[in-house]
Amino acid sequence: MKITLFGIPLSPYVRKVRATLAYKNIPYEEVFVIPSSPDQPEEFKANSPLGKIPLLKIDDRYLSDSSVICAWLEREFPEKPLLPQDNFDAAQALWFEEYAGSVMTTAMAAHLFAEVVLAKAVFNREPIQSDIDKALNVELPAIFDYLEPRIQGHTLLASGFSMADIAVGAISTAMLHSGHSVDPKTWPNTARYLSGLLEGELFSGLIAEEKQLLASFGIG
């Protein structure tokens, strides 16, 4: 089986798939694709119905959407499961994946990373300060307030490391690249959890690669 991942590592959705592949020790190739770029490969344009990343190619078949891709990886490669055996815990892991992909992505990627990191260097415009202020003063505090009482030691679920941690780590990396972190005095559980998650073996390698990519763009 040959697996190819289309996308750019700086995307939180691509990062989620890369982290899942790394966790399960699945070899794959990468094809660099920037959303909305006119230079996208024809193969990508022909097989990504919404024109979004990531796209996963499995031999001569294709899957779109990070959650769909991760669900396939979980079923195809069950040896290192990311969904707990307990049905309620599995549903909770999927909920955190949804929360990370919607609420957290809006704050950390769309309003923070895009404006702090990409606006001038990539979009050739001034950052939208109101988006940055909204993320820092409204959205992120609400997210941390939600996560704080739900942290279970080093993971989000008492049953252990799961897709919940993969998804939350994937988007929280965008906050890290933006130069922001969690105030440990206000949210000690969340600060400890995210620090351990992003500095751990799984994400630290991905983050190091992404910092090199940002540097190649003249960022950082």
Side-chain angles (χ1 to χ4, degrees), residues 47-122:
N47 293 285
S48 180
L50 302 180
K52 296 181 178 181
I53 56 175
L55 174 73
L56 195 74
K57 180 181 181 181
I58 308 104
D59 292 331
D60 59 351
R61 299 180 297 172
Y62 300 85
L63 285 174
S64 297
D65 186 85
S66 64
S67 295
V68 171
I69 292 169
C70 289
W72 177 81
L73 291 171
E74 179 71 2
R75 291 177 65 91
E76 188 72 14
F77 302 93
E79 293 80 11
K80 293 184 68 176
L82 283 168
L83 290 180
Q85 289 293 315
D86 180 83
N87 289 338
F88 187 83
D89 281 355
Q92 283 289 91
L94 294 175
W95 155 246
F96 279 115
E97 181 184 14
E98 167 60 27
Y99 182 76
S102 53
V103 175
M104 294 180 69
T105 296
T106 297
M108 296 179 179
H111 291 163
L112 199 60
F113 180 74
E115 299 306 322
V116 172
V117 179
L118 300 181
K120 288 186 177 181
V122 177

Side-chain angles (χ1 to χ4, degrees), residues 32-51:
F32 197 85
V33 175
I34 298 176
S36 303
S37 169
D39 300 323
Q40 291 176 346
E42 290 300 322
E43 182 181 15
F44 173 81
K45 291 189 285 188
N47 293 285
S48 180
L50 302 180

Side-chain angles (χ1 to χ4, degrees), residues 134-148:
K134 184 177 182 181
L136 294 177
N137 300 323
V138 179
E139 295 170 327
L140 291 181
I143 289 168
F144 302 150
D145 283 345
Y146 176 73
L147 293 178
E148 183 68 14

